[in-house]
Structures are given as C-alpha cells and as structure tokens.
C-alpha cells in the first residue's frame, strides 16, 4: 500500500440542487482520532451489491489513510457513538431519509447528529429483476456485467483471506456507491487516477474529521460507457498492467454505467445465420449472409416481434443483438453490400448525391431510416414508452431527406472526436450532421465517440504513433454534448490515464474546470516532479492539437506524419530532458514508480521514430 501526504489544494466541486429534506447547516463528525476508530459503519438489514461494496470501500480507504479499521454493524444492532449509514435501512428511515424520493442515479450525502448517511437507489437481486436481459454496446450481458472480484487482492492487500464479492452490475442502480465514492473524494480527498494501488491518492493522517453540508445530486451524463481494460500501450504502462479485476473495480470508482442503453451492429453474419435467417428477406447480391433486404415487410414484422418480446421480458434475446432497458437497437452490418433488389436499389439511388468527401455522409440515410421508422411505428402502437435505438454512422450519418425520423427513434451520432484538435474539415462535417440530429431529434440522443485515431491503425499495421493527447479539445466536446442534452456516450478506443480520468470527471460534472483537474493531478500524483511532468504532457498535447503542424494532405501516410511533422528529433530530445528532470526530482519510491510508468510514453516515441527511420533506410517504397 502506497501512502502519500496530501500536498495540494482542495478541488472545488459544484453541488447539485439540495433536496427539500437536506439540512442546510454545516456538520462535523470525527471518523478517526489518533489512529483509532470513532464511528461504526452500518449496513442495511438487507444488503445490496452496492451497499456491500460501499462498506468495503469506505472501510478500506479509511484504514489505508489512518490505520484505523472502522467496525461494521447491521441496522438494528446496537451501536455506541457515531454511525455512517450505508444504503436504505430502518436506521436511515428513522432519520426521515429513504430512497423512495430519490430519482434514478440520484444519491444523498447527509449529515445528522452523530450520523452520516450515504444513500442511493440500489439494484437488488430478486426473481423480477433477474428477468431483465440485455446486451450492452460492448456485448456485456446484464449478469455478465456483475463482475465477481476478490476484493482485498484487487486493492493490493494480498495477505488477507479471499473475499469474493459481486460488484454492482455496470448497468444496475448503485446510488449508495455513488454517494460513498463522492464522500471519499469530496470529504476525504481520495483520488482514483487509475486502478492500481500506486495510482491512488490516499492522504495519510491520524485524525479524520469531516465537515460539510448535505448534498443530493446525480451524474450529469446518464449513460457512461468507457470500460477500458488498459490494454492499449499508454494506459498499459501508466496503469502498470492492471488486472481485469482492478479495471472492473476502477469502472465503479469512476461511476461508469448508468441507465441501460446499447448501440452497435445488430444485423451481421452471426445474427443473420441464427436469427434473421428467413430466406424471403436475405439481401440479393454479394451482401447475402451479412446484410438483409431492409425494404422487405416480413423483415419488419420479425424485427418488431423480437423487439416486443424483449420489452415484454419474454426471454431469449439472441446473442449478437444489442438492447438494454427501454432501448432495442437496429444497426446494419459494417459493409456497403446493400441488397440489389429493385425496391432497395431505388431507395438507395436517392442518396447518390449525398457524398461529403468524408467518412460520414448521408448516402444511405433514406434507405436505412425508412426501415428503422417502419419498425418504430409498430413498436409505438404496442410500447409507446419504449425506443428503437440506432446509430447515425458512416453513410447513414446525416438525417434522411424528405421524411422525419419517428419520435421513438433514439439516434446516436458517431463522432470523430479524436480528430477534432487537428482536422478542422472533418470536425466541420461531424458538426453538421451532429447539429442536424440535435435540432430535429424528438427522442433521447446518445453519442458514440471515437478515440481510436491514430493508435488503432498503428497497432494493426505494426508501427508506433505520436501520442494523440488532446484533453482540452475532448473536454470541450464532452461539455458541448452534455449541454446539448446528449443522454449517454460510448467511447471507442483508449485515451491515456489522465485524459481518461478528466473526461470521466466531466461526464459526472461538466462544470468542472479542466486545468484545475490537471493541476491537481500533477501536484498530487507527481509531487516534487510535478512541473517537468506537467510540461511533458502539455508539450505533447500542444503538438498533437495544433492543426498547423500537420501536412495539407492529412489523410496521407500516418507514420510519416507522426515522425516527420509531430515527433521530430528536437521534440523528442526536449521531452526526454523533461523526463530526466522528473526522474532527478522524484524523491520517494511512489513518485519514482509513477514517473517510470510515464516514461513508457517516451520510450514508445523513441522506439517509434527509430523504427520509422530504419524503415526509410531499408524500404525504398516507404519514402514515397
Ligand atoms: Zn431488397
């Protein structure tokens, strides 16, 4: 366990509207005094996965900071002295506080005489709740997203006996955890900058006195899916090869999940083979086997039936389908082998003039959204409060022309946010169709945001890219999405440790200031090495986010752009000096270890440039 001293200032949080029950007065309560526990954690009569995790997390973090292990009791058992009540119980109701009045994902941190209440709606395992099924954007089932971890091992206490717990499902209510994590950040100044113990800020102290007013709020963005395992090179190094259980716990600490929604391809080889296999509506031509005849009335009927069965909880949602909560998803396969029948071709012909010169266009929008509308109109008759979800992607990114999309069609524009800092034309094209959806859509909007460029291409093609750090630009995009009423985001691709953390904080509260979050990170994480490490990061961001540094033909060979336009010899030498400076300043094992993890980014760049230059020497084709 790494402990460090709290060195930097306290982050100011914006506080949501306090509910009518909330007391306005400031209260103080001692949790620990001289390294000894001064209060008891109280679980509800009936534990939920969220209240159990909240209790373990609170107990662990307080012990890690102070050495004091808070005792745990159950509501109804006699307790001496101060209490922290976790989750809805008779004890909270005796104080007039219950989850009944809380909205979805809303949570409460309340201070009372000798008591703190951490409360939110929690999912409970019952015969009824287990009937819900779904597949998330990333393919998690609801039950598969209730990960089981060995808690003590996951937090780095290997010598404790095995403690297997089921984490609250990513897409299950877990308001008591939200309250507890907010409490640990806001009042105890804990920070989770990554999933490994070395990534966590735990201010060491022998007294823990908390002071504050009641808070009741919920995360700003309602669906938050950026469940990265740390598998891409930068986070793998910065997270020090965190285990999957550590990543799963980290997703809860960052409050990922939220309301149930899913968006991804639903008609593809597996579903065409196993579900949509009626010969009458198979696509004519080379699309056969992956695409369908989207103008065929029988396909509409069968799709409607599948959606109705899902909403009616009849069970048997086919694997490969995407649907969660109030949303049943329809997205065609990821190829342009559209059906060659006359009906399909005549609709497709309408989009011929809608090319944009960019990946996202409206060439197939009339064709695709006509099918989505037909299904949606039928669903509206039987399930007026449910939605057909789809993506606004690729050649069906723009809204259709000549007809409106139904008011129960929930669209998720797919946006190239990872180009926004460097590619003004692509940004303009994205903005055009995004704003058209914001303006015309009558159902909740979601977004799929890319963070894959240029790393994904580099990984696939076996070269190394210049780091695409662009936290300010990404932050601005996220703030805009939330302000525009986007209900949820799926993030595709992995940023680095810091950008990931900052964006997740903004998903929860978009009023936070990016530079304050970054300053706090560098001063608390790198301490005496904060200045050179901040310069290292900000220098890379400045280069990657400067459109004038890129050649005119931006879509050209990306490896060349990386090492001739961005990561030049001089740039790398300067970055290396900053890392050396940080290494010289680091005076504790913890800071030395964190600088070492970040050195992985520099090593990647040095190796990438070397590899590129070697390629030029040996492969004459690569010079062109
Ligand atoms: Zn057809």
């Amino acid at each position: 366990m790494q402990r460090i001293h709290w060195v930097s200032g306290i982050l100011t949080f914006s506080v949501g509207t306090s509910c009518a029950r909330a007391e306005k007065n400031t209260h103080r309560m001692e949790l620990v005094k001289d390294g000894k526990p001064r209060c008891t954690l109280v679980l509800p009569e009936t534990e939920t996965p969220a209240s159990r995790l909240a209790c373990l997390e609170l107990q662990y973090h307080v012990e890690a900071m102070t050495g004091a292990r808070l005792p745990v009791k159950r509501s109804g058992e006699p307790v001496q002295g101060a209490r922290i009540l976790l989750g809805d119980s008779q004890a909270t109701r005796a104080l007039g506080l219950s989850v009944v009045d809380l909205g979805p994902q809303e949570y409460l941190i309340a201070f009372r005489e000798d008591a703190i209440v951490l409360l939110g709606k929690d999912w409970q395992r019952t015969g009824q709740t287990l009937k819900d099924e779904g597949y998330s954007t990333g393919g998690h089932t609801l039950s598969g997203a209730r990960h089981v971890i060995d808690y003590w091992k996951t937090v780095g206490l290997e010598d404790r006996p095995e403690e297997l717990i089921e984490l609250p499902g990513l897409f299950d209510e877990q308001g008591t955890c939200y309250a507890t994590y907010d409490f640990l950040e806001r009042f105890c100044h804990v920070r989770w900058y990554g999933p490994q113990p070395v990534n966590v800020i735990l201010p060491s102290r022998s007294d823990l006195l908390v002071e504050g007013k009641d808070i009741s709020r919920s995360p700003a963005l309602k669906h938050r899916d950026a469940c990265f395992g740390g598998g891409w090179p930068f986070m793998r190094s910065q997270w020090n090869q965190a285990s999957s259980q550590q990543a799963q716990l980290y997703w809860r600490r960052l409050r990922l999940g939220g309301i149930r929604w899913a968006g991804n391809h639903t008609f593809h080889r597996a579903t065409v083979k196993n579900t949509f296999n009626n010969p009458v509506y198979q696509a004519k031509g080379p699309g056969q086997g992956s695409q369908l005849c989207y103008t065929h009335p029988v396909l509409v009927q069968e799709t409607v039936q599948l959606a109705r069965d899902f909403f009616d909880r009849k069970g048997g949602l086919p694997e490969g389908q995407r649907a969660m909560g109030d949303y049943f998803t329809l997205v065609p396969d990821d190829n342009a082998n559209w059906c060659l029948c006359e009906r399909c071709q005549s609709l497709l012909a309408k989009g011929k003039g809608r090319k944009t010169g960019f990946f996202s266009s409206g060439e197939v929008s009339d064709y695709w959204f006509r099918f989505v509308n037909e299904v949606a109109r039928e669903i509206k008759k039987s399930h007026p409060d449910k939605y057909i979800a789809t993506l606004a992607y690729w050649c069906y990114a723009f809204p259709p022309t000549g007809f409106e999309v139904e008011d129960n069609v929930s669209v998720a524009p797919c946006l190239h946010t990872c180009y926004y800092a460097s590619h003004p034309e692509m940004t303009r094209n994205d903005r055009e169709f995004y704003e058209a959806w914001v303006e015309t859509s009558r159902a909740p909007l979601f977004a799929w945001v890319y963070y894959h460029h240029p790393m994904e291409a580099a990984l696939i093609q076996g070269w190394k890219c210049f780091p695409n750090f662009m936290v300010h630009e990404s932050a601005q995009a996220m703030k805009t999405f939330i302000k525009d009423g986007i209900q949820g985001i799926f993030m595709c691709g992995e940023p680095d440790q810091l950008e990931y953390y900052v964006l997740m904080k903004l998903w929860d509260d978009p009023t936070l200031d990016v530079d304050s979050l970054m300053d706090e990170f560098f001063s608390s994480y790198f301490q005496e090495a904060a200045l050179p490490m901040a310069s290292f990061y900000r220098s890379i961001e400045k280069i990657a986010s400067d459109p004038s540094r890129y050649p005119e033909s931006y879509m050209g060979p990306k490896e060349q752009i990386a090492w001739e336009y961005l990561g030049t010899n001089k740039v790398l030498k300067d970055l290396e000096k900053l890392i050396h400076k940080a290494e010289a300043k680091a005076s504790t094992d913890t800071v030395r270890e964190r600088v070492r993890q970040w050195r992985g980014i520099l090593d990647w760049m040095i190796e990438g440039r070397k590899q590129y230059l070697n390629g030029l020497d040996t492969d004459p084709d690569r010079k062109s």
Side-chain angles (χ1 to χ4, degrees), residues 73 286 307 330 333 520 539 582:
K73 294 269 172 149
L330 304 176
D333 205 5
E520 186 190 51
S539 302

Side-chain angles (χ1 to χ4, degrees), residues 265-273 289-290 319-322 333:
H265 302 282
T266 63
F267 297 107
H268 47 76
R269 291 201 173 272
T271 53
V272 167
K273 183 168 175 239
S290 79
E319 202 178 333
Q321 183 55 48
R322 293 290 185 273
D333 205 5

Side-chain angles (χ1 to χ4, degrees), residues 14-202:
S14 79
V15 175
T17 46
S18 287
C19 61
R21 303 171 300 282
E23 290 207 353
K24 301 280 186 288
N25 301 333
T26 298
H27 291 257
R28 292 154 69 94
M29 199 172 105
E30 227 166 29
L31 273 59
V32 176
K33 177 78 180 163
D34 298 326
K36 300 276 178 295
R38 295 295 289 256
C39 69
T40 301
L41 304 178
V42 180
L43 277 165
E45 295 80 7
T46 310
E47 248 177 53
T48 61
S51 58
R52 186 170 185 208
L53 176 64
C55 182
L56 280 168
E57 287 278 72
L58 194 51
Q59 191 185 41
Y60 160 70
H61 284 89
V62 170
E63 186 179 2
M65 285 186 284
T66 66
R69 194 164 191 188
L70 303 180
V72 179
K73 294 269 172 149
R74 203 167 284 283
S75 169
E77 291 177 353
V79 174
Q80 295 275 312
R83 301 168 300 162
I84 300 182
L85 308 175
L86 296 148
D88 193 44
S89 66
Q90 279 181 23
T92 63
R93 288 191 289 274
L95 295 171
L97 299 170
S98 151
V99 291
V100 174
D101 305 323
L102 295 178
Q105 300 188 65
E106 191 186 4
Y107 60 87
L108 179 68
I109 300 173
F111 295 85
R112 294 294 179 271
E113 191 64 37
D114 271 342
I116 293 171
V117 176
L118 303 174
L119 179 64
K121 276 205 175 90
D122 294 339
W123 181 87
Q124 181 65 279
R125 181 180 291 275
T126 65
Q128 202 54 29
T129 58
L130 286 174
K131 274 191 184 165
D132 290 334
E133 37 169 20
Y135 284 103
S136 74
T137 304
H140 286 107
T141 60
L142 289 174
S143 58
R146 294 173 191 132
H147 303 100
V148 175
I149 66 167
D150 179 349
Y151 180 78
W152 296 117
K153 193 173 169 206
T154 304
V155 298
L157 300 176
E158 306 269 350
D159 52 342
R160 294 206 179 168
E162 188 178 66
E163 172 90 27
L164 289 181
I165 60 160
E166 181 182 276
L167 295 175
L170 275 175
F171 304 102
D172 295 339
E173 289 267 32
Q174 49 199 289
T176 299
C177 282
Y178 296 167
T180 304
Y181 287 132
D182 191 349
F183 175 80
L184 280 167
E185 284 183 324
R186 200 184 292 256
F187 297 102
C188 307
H189 314 300
V190 170
R191 295 290 180 271
W192 298 283
Y193 290 128
Q196 284 264 29
V198 69
N199 303 133
V200 181
I201 306 293
L202 289 164

Side-chain angles (χ1 to χ4, degrees), residues 281-284 292-296 338-345 367:
Y281 53 64
Q282 298 303 311
K284 303 271 182 298
L292 299 170
C293 178
Y294 297 111
T295 58
H296 204 290
W338 310 111
C339 176
L340 297 179
C341 86
E342 213 170 290
R343 275 195 320 263
C344 289
Q345 286 299 310
Y367 178 61

Side-chain angles (χ1 to χ4, degrees), residues 5 22 28 59 88-89 115 181 200 221 225 237 247 313-314 359 417 425-426 454 462 510 538 556 564 571 589 593:
H5 290 279
R28 292 154 69 94
Q59 191 185 41
D88 193 44
S89 66
Y181 287 132
V200 181
L221 190 70
D225 193 349
S237 173
R313 297 173 167 190
K314 288 205 170 150
F359 179 77
T417 35
E425 292 80 13
M426 175 114 78
R538 287 178 183 273
E564 286 189 19
V571 163
D589 287 347
E593 174 60 15

